[in-house]
Amino acid sequence: MAMTVKGENLVVTKLKLERMLSMKGGKGETSYLKNSQAQARHARAMLHFLEATLSAMKLPLLEDGRFAVADLGCSCGTNTLFLMGIVVEHVSKMYAALGHDSPEFQVFFSDLPCNDFNVLFQLLPPQLSSSSLEQCLAAAEEQRSYYAAGVPGSFYGRLFPSRSINVFNSTFSLHWLSQESPLFGVALEQVPERVTDKRSPAYNRGRVFVHGASADTAAAYKQQFQADLTSFLRARAVEMTVGGVMFLVCLGRTPIDPADQGGADAWNDLVEEASTHSHRVHGLLESEKRDSFNIPVYAACLREFEEVVKAEGSFSINKLQAVKGGSPLVVNHPEDASEVGRALANSCRSVAGVLVEAHIGERLSEELFGRLELRAARHARELMEQMQFFHIVASLSSSLPSHPAS
Ligand code: SAH
C-alpha cells in the first residue's frame, strides 16, 4: 500500500483502497447490519444532543420549499435510517411551530463507493405520499417522509454542490482516517505512510493499531487525523447552506497521550487481542505482514478535535463534549462466555474484517477471528465489565450570518 508510483497507477491504487474500506455488507452473521446494535444504542443515548443541534438552527426561508439533509458515513445498517427519520420529524415540527408548511425533504445517504448501498436501499421504509405533519407523525417508524438518494465518495473531499445541504450528520465514522495524501491530494494511504515504513521511527512494529504504540507512531496518526478533519470541515463549509448545522459523533479518548491508555480502555483491549493473535498465527503469518497492517482508526481527545475546528474557522461550536458511550458489546446473556466471545469477534469482524481479509487473505482472517472469539470467551467477564467506549460529540453551525424564517 506504499506510495511508490505516480501517474495512472495512483488512480488504480485509490480505487483499490476505496473498495477495501467498508463495513461488512450483506445481512449475514458478521455483517454490519447484524453487528451495529452498540452504535444504535449509543446513537439513541445521544439523541438529545442531535435534537438540541437542530433546535439551535435558525430555520431558513425555503424559496424552493426544499430542505436537504446528508448522513456521511451512513454504512448499510438501520442506524442511519433511524437518525434520518428523527431529523426529518424534528425539523418538520420546527416549521409547524412557526406556522409554516413542512418542506419537502431530500435525504442523502453517503459513504465510500464500496458500501453496501443495495442492502441500505432495501431497508428503506416505503415513502409517504404526502408530507403533512400529521401523516408524518402517524407513520413514525414504518414510513418515510423524505426522498432518498445515495452519494458515493469520501467525506474528506467534496460530495455536494455549494450551499446545498441544510443539515449534516455523521455518527461513528470520522475516526476512520482518510486515504488522502497531503502531497498529491488523492487517496493513497489509509494510515500515515511513516507508520508502515520500516526505516521510519514511526514504524508500528508488533502492533496493528495506534493505541499502545510508540510516541512517533501516535504523532503520525494524530497528524493524519487533524489533516483529515480539516479537509472534512473545509468541504462541508462550502456545501452547507447559510445558517446550516452539523452534528458529529466519533470515537474519542480521555487521556491526552494516545499511547497511554488505561487497562480498562476498550481499544487497548482490542489491540492486545489483535496483537496477541497475530503472534499466535505466527508461522502462518509473517510478522512483517502483521506490522504492515494497521487499523486506520484514531480516537482523538477533545482538545485535538477542538484545535482543528477553531483553526479551520468555518464553524462555530455550539457544543463539544466527551461522552462515556458504554460497552461496545450487546449480548442477550452476559453470563454466557461463548456468546460474549462470538459477539466480540463478530463486531470486530463487521468493522475491520474487510480490511483484514484484503491484507492476509480469507483463510488467515478466518483463523484470526476464530482465535479472537476463543480468547474473548476466556475473558468474557472482564470484557463485559471493562470494555468502554468514549465518544466526541460536536454540534457545529456555520459561522456565516443566517436569515431566520421567523
Ligand atoms: N453511521 C453509521 C455507520 C458507522 S460505521 C452508524 O452510526 O452506525 C463507519 C462508516 O464510515 C463506514 O460505513 C465506512 O465505510 C464509513 N467511512 C469511513 N471512512 C470514510 C470516508 N473517508 N468517507 C466516507 N465514509 C467513510
Side-chain angles (χ1 to χ4, degrees), residues 59 61 91-103 133 405-406:
L59 285 184
L61 283 169
V91 176
S92 286
K93 282 187 191 161
M94 287 170 71
Y95 274 101
L98 294 174
H100 290 267
D101 286 342
S102 202
L133 179 67
S406 48

Side-chain angles (χ1 to χ4, degrees), residues 301-315:
C301 71
L302 207 54
R303 190 173 45 74
E304 290 164 354
F305 197 100
E306 188 176 14
E307 273 168 14
V308 177
V309 180
K310 290 196 165 152
E312 197 281 327
S314 306
F315 296 93

Side-chain angles (χ1 to χ4, degrees), residues 17-275:
L17 284 168
E18 288 206 345
R19 284 209 188 109
M20 266 165 52
L21 176 60
S22 72
M23 303 300 100
K24 184 102 161 96
K27 299 178 179 175
E29 207 204 333
T30 60
S31 64
Y32 188 75
L33 176 63
K34 295 273 168 70
N35 288 282
S36 45
Q37 298 95 325
Q39 287 89 333
R41 207 168 54 188
H42 298 159
R44 278 173 167 77
M46 282 173 208
L47 274 189
H48 61 288
F49 287 120
L50 170 62
E51 289 174 342
T53 304
L54 299 170
S55 297
M57 173 177 49
K58 298 257 170 52
L59 285 184
L61 283 169
L62 297 166
E63 275 135 39
D64 56 6
R66 245 181 290 148
F67 191 100
V69 184
D71 191 24
L72 307 180
C74 61
S75 193
C76 48
T78 48
N79 296 349
T80 182
L81 302 177
F82 170 73
L83 288 175
M84 291 304 98
I86 297 283
V87 171
V88 168
E89 190 185 317
H90 195 86
V91 176
S92 286
K93 282 187 191 161
M94 287 170 71
Y95 274 101
L98 294 174
H100 290 267
D101 286 342
S102 202
E104 288 192 305
F105 288 95
Q106 168 93 72
V107 172
F108 294 101
F109 295 93
S110 182
D111 206 296
L112 292 170
C114 49
N115 183 53
D116 198 339
F117 284 102
N118 284 337
V119 161
L120 178 62
F121 291 166
Q122 284 160 28
L123 293 170
L124 275 171
Q127 191 158 8
L128 262 185
S129 45
S130 149
S131 60
S132 82
L133 179 67
E134 293 70 35
Q135 278 204 26
C136 173
L137 296 180
E141 307 237 314
E142 306 89 56
Q143 292 194 295
R144 78 188 138 96
S145 44
Y146 56 82
Y147 296 94
V151 176
S154 169
F155 50 47
Y156 294 122
R158 285 287 303 277
L159 293 165
F160 303 98
S162 339
R163 305 256 161 272
S164 64
I165 306 291
N166 300 92
V167 173
F168 279 111
N169 179 78
S170 178
T171 46
F172 311 116
S173 303
L174 271 169
H175 46 265
W176 286 95
L177 297 179
S178 83
Q179 305 136 13
E180 307 289 321
S181 155
L183 287 178
F184 296 95
V186 291
L188 286 167
E189 291 278 344
Q190 290 178 307
V191 292
E193 205 189 339
R194 285 179 282 158
V195 169
T196 53
D197 178 357
K198 264 203 230 162
R199 293 155 305 174
S200 159
Y203 184 55
N204 202 12
R205 193 183 306 280
R207 304 202 167 263
V208 296
F209 216 52
V210 58
H211 299 278
S214 75
D216 281 323
T217 304
Y221 265 84
K222 175 187 158 184
Q223 200 180 30
Q224 177 84 46
F225 173 80
Q226 292 196 316
D228 287 348
L229 185 57
T230 305
S231 312
F232 177 91
L233 295 175
R234 220 166 258 164
R236 301 302 80 78
V238 180
E239 297 165 350
M240 190 184 266
T241 55
V242 172
V245 290
M246 180 148 70
F247 181 67
L248 308 175
V249 179
C250 65
L251 269 184
R253 65 175 207 282
T254 41
I256 300 299
D257 177 3
D260 174 28
Q261 300 280 299
D265 184 80
W267 288 104
N268 211 13
D269 265 349
L270 287 182
V271 178
E272 290 298 311
E273 297 286 345
S275 356

Side-chain angles (χ1 to χ4, degrees), residues 358-390:
H359 193 74
I360 59 176
E362 204 179 323
R363 195 175 58 83
L364 283 182
S365 166
E366 197 68 43
E367 174 85 10
L368 189 80
F369 287 107
R371 288 173 189 227
L372 177 61
E373 178 174 338
L374 291 177
R375 210 178 125 85
R378 280 204 298 278
H379 298 280
R381 189 194 291 242
E382 297 102 283
L383 287 172
M384 286 310 291
E385 283 168 7
Q386 294 173 4
M387 278 184 92
Q388 187 72 252
F389 272 147
F390 285 92

Side-chain angles (χ1 to χ4, degrees), residues 318-330:
N318 306 323
K319 198 170 210 62
L320 183 58
Q321 205 170 308
V323 173
K324 209 174 189 180
S327 170
L329 290 176
V330 179

